[in-house]
């Protein structure tokens, strides 16, 4: 034996012993941990099934779809189709799993690697997970292959999937696939990360317009009645962005400065109503191309108004769909508010063509930032660029920031980054908190790192992930890099991963020529409870009396509970204000002396409108939470805001006054309501007299909106002058055969609502007949809202019946009428609540059990109550109609009722006394 061999043998002996001892040791460990292992397994099994089986396996990846849809029988509400999907198989499998729901699969074949051999398969449906399993008699090997499927389906009436829409007698069909409804129109890998190319062919009746994401490549006549359209292949993209529409439409068109062909499709005979959106889009598309540093990648962009539309708008690549009221502008009938909304919605959906369509989130978790909230922020940037006269950023604070801060102060709120296990949960988090806080965090970030770094970071991010999927952290990475701030995601995560936002308790002390500021943070809760468990990293900008519109000090509260800051060179004659321009998402509690010092800056408007907004909105929230008296708030309004003239500030004040009057519907003292109404009318009298009823020459574009707001609110509060004038104008209008030119669209709502309030049968019939004859959805919504605003119970009942008359009121509009009736007064609210309790099964079946309309029904109606008994009814209602989707809303409503009750109990007496001595 060679020396070497012996040594080797000796080593083997030694190895053998070591091997045996390892085995013994492992066995001992296995015995010891076995129970834990079993526990772990059993514990994780349910988790696996509920969380992961909704997701498709990643062993099969689609790359290309050839989709054929035959909609030639759309009037019978049926369609059939075929889809061939090129797939790559990464592991040997014996079945192919993909998404499909409510479709009848009529044929299944599989072809491996372009061979001529086909295997025929069978299908198993899994309706819980909305999947199908294609089974074949043999295994499917690693490599490339193609699945061929044929299927049939119904063109449904549920406002998603492939659904029907009707305009007068014209029947059409269209798609709405986000978040997970493409699977209801064709079998597919329906998750955002399975991006692929789509070559779509549609057969449709000849007399209808047929549109798809891409331009038409070829068109041929099949018989006398139908055409088959073949469309260009799409870029690589997610299934939720596929779209097609078939129906009666007219259009207007233009080309933007990059030569993209833009069209706006409108109902027949109304193409002029598309012009405003068309010119807006033609300006915004190149603006984004420049801002993002990437051209819009398709050669055409269609935007279409769909008569039946569940949400507001949908960003399908190259074919954006809109609710009519968010796309059409009629020169005679539309208000300035409609124009502004159309501009914002168009800007929002165009932003998605990059943010969402080109670069897409990996999974719906990251939706809060990558998608809708980013779009909800940048829509303001784009509208400000195109229509600087709208002063749109000022309005951001009352329309977006304020609306998210109210629900985010509830215990039942949620962080904006939440985990999503299945697509149906997405709708649940699509609320004011997600949209509003998400876009407010981006506003904060943009202000913090500056526009240039922000733009550069974004554009690098988009370039790196174009045609791919990504996660939020990748955006943070690029923004951190572009701004040279490594701690960015640290700061941001305190806002995105934590629930709520902070309350800053501020104190100051003069130290010679310097000011010592002490700031302490706690979570702000609407019911006044103290919560010290959370802390935020807060950039704080401060302005002073001598520089009221610039950031004189930039402080940073580094997640500490309490911190002191010495502000140099601030003489005692200076006031200081935190949260310049209301960019931060926090409330400030100033000591009385600091607040009083700010009052002249509010009165003489040296403080910006956003800062005037900010001060009163914080004082209101503090009073509501019991940290201040409501009388302090009412006094502040009277002394500092009586001469206010800014739309944003008034919107906020009126939102608060409205809440207070809805609480006083339940006042214990019999004169509180009336005293309060006269306080309100007195507060608004100055602005009412200043802006009057008729447009003044060359007035700013916010004035018509301010006028409408003030007139409506004066009408609601039974202000005599408003009532008389509204009746006069309405009678004149009726006598002149309802000539629309007689009433400026901006004051139309105020007139309708005011005459309805004290109206009789004749008024009701008149408004109803105007509704039935109205030519635009915008006008119809105005009239529907007014029909629900009668004081008299008899007409309220008639309105309730009318709301649910399905031939007169579209499915998407029932809620608008219902909310209007509930918000009108206590009686209307109770009527609606009884109706909901008696008809909940019907309401659920109209919208489906996972539709966001249900959330709005729950949150708007019983959320207006006060008493414990009503709260118990809400609880009981949830027990009778359990639906996990509504769990959060029910908690929110119960909390809201409790807070409203606290306000009444804590403050009615002091408010009554204050109002009495006025
Ligand atoms: N992508 C959304 C619409 C959407 C979100 C549909 C989630 C289904 C599930 C679209 O971009 C959007 O945000 N639409 C808004 C209008 C927008 C202007 C804020 C809507 O529909 O409310
Ligand atoms: Zn969006």
């Amino acid at each position: 034996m060679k020396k070497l061999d012996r040594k080797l043998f000796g080593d083997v002996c030694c190895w053998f012993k070591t091997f045996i001892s390892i085995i013994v040791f492992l066995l001992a460990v296995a015995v010891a941990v076995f129970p834990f292992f079993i526990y772990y397994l059993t514990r994780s099994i349910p988790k696996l099934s509920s969380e992961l089986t909704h997701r498709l396996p990643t062993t099969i990846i689609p790359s290309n779809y050839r989709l054929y849809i035959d909609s030639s029988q759309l009037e019978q509400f049926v369609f059939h189709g075929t889809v061939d999907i090129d797939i790559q198989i990464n592991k040997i499998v014996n079945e192919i799993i993909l998404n499909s729901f409510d479709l009848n699969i009529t044929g299944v074949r599989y072809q491996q690697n372009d061979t001529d051999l086909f295997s025929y398969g069978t299908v198993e449906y899994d309706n819980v997970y909305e999947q199908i399993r294609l089974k074949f008699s043999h295994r499917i090997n690693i490599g490339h292959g193609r699945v061929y499927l044929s299927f049939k389906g119904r063109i449904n009436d549920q406002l998603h999937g492939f659904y029907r829409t009707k305009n007068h007698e014209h029947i059409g069909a269209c798609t709405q696939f986000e978040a997970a409804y493409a699977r209801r129109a064709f079998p597919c890998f329906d998750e955002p990360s399975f991006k692929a190319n789509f070559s779509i062919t549609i057969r449709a009746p000849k007399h209808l317009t047929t549109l798809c994401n891409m331009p038409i490549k070829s068109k041929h006549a099949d018989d006398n009645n139908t055409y088959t359209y073949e469309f260009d292949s799409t870029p690589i993209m997610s299934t939720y962005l596929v779209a097609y529409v078939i129906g009666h439409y007219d259009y207007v068109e233009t080309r933007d400065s990059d030569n993209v062909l833009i069209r706006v499709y409108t109902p027949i005979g109304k193409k002029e109503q598309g012009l405003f959106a068309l010119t807006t889009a033609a300006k915004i598309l190149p603006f984004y191309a420049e801002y993002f540093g990437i051209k819009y990648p398709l050669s055409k962009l269609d935007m279409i108004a769909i008569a039946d539309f569940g949400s507001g708008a949908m960003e399908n690549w190259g074919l954006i769909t809109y609710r009519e009221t968010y796309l059409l502008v009629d020169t005679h009938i539309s208000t300035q508010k409609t124009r502004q909304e159309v501009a914002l919605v168009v800007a929002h959906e165009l932003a998605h063509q990059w943010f969402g369509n080109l670069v897409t989130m990996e999974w719906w978790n990251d939706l809060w930032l990558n998608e809708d909230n980013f779009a909800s922020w940048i829509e303001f940037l784009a509208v400000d660029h195109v229509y600087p006269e709208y002063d749109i950023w000022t309005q951001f604070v009352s329309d977006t920031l304020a609306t998210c801060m109210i629900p985010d102060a509830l215990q039942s709120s949620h962080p904006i980054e939440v985990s999503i296990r299945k697509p149906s949960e997405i709708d649940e988090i699509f609320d004011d908190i997600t949209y509003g806080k998400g876009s407010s965090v981006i506003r904060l970030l943009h202000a913090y790192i500056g526009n240039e770094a922000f733009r550069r970071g974004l554009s690098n991010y988009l370039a790196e992930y174009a045609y791919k999927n990504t996660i939020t952290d990748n955006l943070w990475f690029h923004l951190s890099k572009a701004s040279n701030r490594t701690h960015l995601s640290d700061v941001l995560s305190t806002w995105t991963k934590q629930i709520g936002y902070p309350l800053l308790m501020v104190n100051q002390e003069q130290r010679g020529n310097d000011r010592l500021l002490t700031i302490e943070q706690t979570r702000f809760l609407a019911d006044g409870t103290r919560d010290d468990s959370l802390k935020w990293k807060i950039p704080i900008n401060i302005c002073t009396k001598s520089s009221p519109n610039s950031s004189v000090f930039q402080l940073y509260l580094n997640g500490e509970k309490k911190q002191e800051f010495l502000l140099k060179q601030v003489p005692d004659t200076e006031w200081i204000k935190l949260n310049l321009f209301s960019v931060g998402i926090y409330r400030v509690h100033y000591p009385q002396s600091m607040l009083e010092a700010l009052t002249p800056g509010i009165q003489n408007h040296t403080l910006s409108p956003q800062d005037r907004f900010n001060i009163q909105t914080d004082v209101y929230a503090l009073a509501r939470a019991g940290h201040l008296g409501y009388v302090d708030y009412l006094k502040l309004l009277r002394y500092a805001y009586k001469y206010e003239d800014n739309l944003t500030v008034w919107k906020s004040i009126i939102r608060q006054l409205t809440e207070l009057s809805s609480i006083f519907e339940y006042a214990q003292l019999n004169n509180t309501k009336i005293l309060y109404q006269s306080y309100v009318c007195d507060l608004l009298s100055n602005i009412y007299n200043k802006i009057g009823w008729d447009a003044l020459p060359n007035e700013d574009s916010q004035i018509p909106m301010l006028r409408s707001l003030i007139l409506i609110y004066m009408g609601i509060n039974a202000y005599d002058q408003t009532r008389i004038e509204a009746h006069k104008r309405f009678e004149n209008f009726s006598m002149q055969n309802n000539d629309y030119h007689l009433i400026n669209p901006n004051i139309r709502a105020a007139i309708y609502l005011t005459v309805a309030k004290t109206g009789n049968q004749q008024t009701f019939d008149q408004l109803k007949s105007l509704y039935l004859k109205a030519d635009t959805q915008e006008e119809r919504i105005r009239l529907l809202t007014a029909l629900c605003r009668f004081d008299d119970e008899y007409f309220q009942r008639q309105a309730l019946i009318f709301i649910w008359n399905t031939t007169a009121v579209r499915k998407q509009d029932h809620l608008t009428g219902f909310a209007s009736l509930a918000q009108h007064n206590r009686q209307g609210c109770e009527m609606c609540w009884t109706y909901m309790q008696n008809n909940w099964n019907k309401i659920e079946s109209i919208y489906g059990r996972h539709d966001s309309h249900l959330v709005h029904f729950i949150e708007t109606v019983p959320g207006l109550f006060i008493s414990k008994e009503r709260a118990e009814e809400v609880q009981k209602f949830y027990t009778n109609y359990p639906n996990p989707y509504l769990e959060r809303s029910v908690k929110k409503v119960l909390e809201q009722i409790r807070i409203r009750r606290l306000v009444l109990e804590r403050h009615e007496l002091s408010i009554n006394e204050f109002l009495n001595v006025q």
Side-chain angles (χ1 to χ4, degrees), residues 138 141 275 300 365 609 791 810 886 904:
H138 54 79
N141 286 326
L275 287 170
K300 69 102 172 168
N365 278 24
D791 282 349
R810 286 181 198 272
L886 297 176
L904 194 69

Side-chain angles (χ1 to χ4, degrees), residues 466-478:
Y467 304 105
K468 298 195 190 112
N469 293 83
T470 180
I471 53 171
T472 313
D473 281 344
N474 295 331
L475 177 61
W476 295 156
F477 171 79
H478 276 291

Side-chain angles (χ1 to χ4, degrees), residues 176 178-179 311-315 345 348-349 352 372 379 427 430 435:
Q176 165 59 43
E178 193 179 8
S311 56
M314 177 65 212
E315 68 267 24
V345 178
H348 179 108
E349 304 309 332
H352 277 314
D372 284 293
E379 64 186 59
D427 290 335
F430 258 85
Y435 269 77

Side-chain angles (χ1 to χ4, degrees), residues 847-859:
Y847 298 99
R849 274 171 64 81
H850 284 109
D851 191 280
S852 57
H853 284 89
L854 301 187
V855 169
H856 294 301
F857 274 105
I858 299 282
E859 293 184 4

Side-chain angles (χ1 to χ4, degrees), residues 550-620:
S550 55
S551 173
V552 185
F553 298 100
Q554 295 96 43
L555 314 183
Y556 180 59
L557 195 57
N558 188 16
E560 302 286 330
K561 167 111 203 78
K562 193 169 181 175
Q563 232 170 304
E564 287 187 342
F565 300 91
L566 190 66
L567 311 182
K568 294 275 191 193
Q569 307 290 326
V570 185
D572 60 2
T573 47
E574 290 276 335
W575 49 250
I576 58 168
K577 180 190 173 291
L578 281 74
N579 203 0
L580 174 68
F581 299 140
S582 200
V583 171
I585 311 169
Y586 55 83
R587 303 225 179 261
V588 182
H589 190 169
Y590 296 102
Q592 192 61 25
S593 58
M594 275 179 97
L595 187 61
E596 270 167 19
L598 291 170
T599 317
I602 303 171
Q603 283 167 332
N604 62 23
H605 296 185
T606 47
L607 273 164
S608 71
Q610 291 101 313
D611 288 299
R612 303 197 306 265
F613 152 88
N614 184 232
I615 294 168
Q616 63 80 34
T617 198
D618 280 358
V619 170
Y620 181 78

Side-chain angles (χ1 to χ4, degrees), residues 326-359:
Y326 288 133
L327 187 68
L328 305 179
V329 171
D330 181 293
T331 356
H332 301 299
I333 298 185
S334 295
T335 59
Q336 175 58 23
K337 188 160 174 248
T338 300
R339 267 167 210 277
Q340 193 178 287
E341 261 166 13
V342 167
L344 286 168
V345 178
V346 167
H348 179 108
E349 304 309 332
L350 293 192
H352 277 314
Q353 306 301 302
W354 285 261
F355 236 88
N357 301 9
L358 184 66
V359 173

Side-chain angles (χ1 to χ4, degrees), residues 808-878:
V809 180
R810 286 181 198 272
K811 208 171 178 173
Q812 71 214 25
D813 298 330
H814 297 316
L815 179 68
T816 310
F818 209 63
S820 172
L821 180 54
Q823 282 157 1
H824 183 58
N825 59 17
R826 182 176 177 169
Q827 188 176 275
C829 186
E830 278 164 9
M831 200 178 282
C832 289
W833 176 230
T834 311
Y835 186 90
M836 272 172 70
Q837 289 170 295
N838 295 339
N839 294 278
W840 191 248
N841 286 334
K842 179 181 105 180
I843 296 175
E844 269 197 352
S845 74
I846 293 179
Y847 298 99
R849 274 171 64 81
H850 284 109
D851 191 280
S852 57
H853 284 89
L854 301 187
V855 169
H856 294 301
F857 274 105
I858 299 282
E859 293 184 4
T860 34
V861 180
L864 290 164
F865 287 133
I866 293 269
S867 71
K868 280 193 180 134
E869 294 71 37
R870 292 289 183 196
E872 277 159 21
E873 269 177 38
V874 174
Q875 189 75 64
K876 206 167 123 215
F877 171 81
Y878 187 61

Side-chain angles (χ1 to χ4, degrees), residues 692-745:
W693 284 75
D694 297 308
L696 306 167
N698 304 323
E699 62 185 15
D700 282 357
S701 68
Q702 297 97 66
I703 300 298
M705 291 190 273
L706 178 58
R707 178 174 296 115
S708 167
L709 184 74
I710 301 292
L711 293 184
I712 289 175
Y713 202 56
M714 284 303 229
I716 288 173
N717 281 284
Y719 189 55
D720 258 357
Q721 284 183 40
T722 319
R723 189 174 45 77
I724 294 164
E725 187 65 27
H727 275 90
K728 200 173 93 195
R729 289 179 185 242
F730 190 65
E731 272 153 34
N732 188 24
F733 169 66
S734 319
M735 275 166 10
Q736 307 286 322
N737 242 339
N738 304 333
D739 177 358
Y740 277 115
H741 298 96
L742 287 176
I743 308 185
N744 179 306

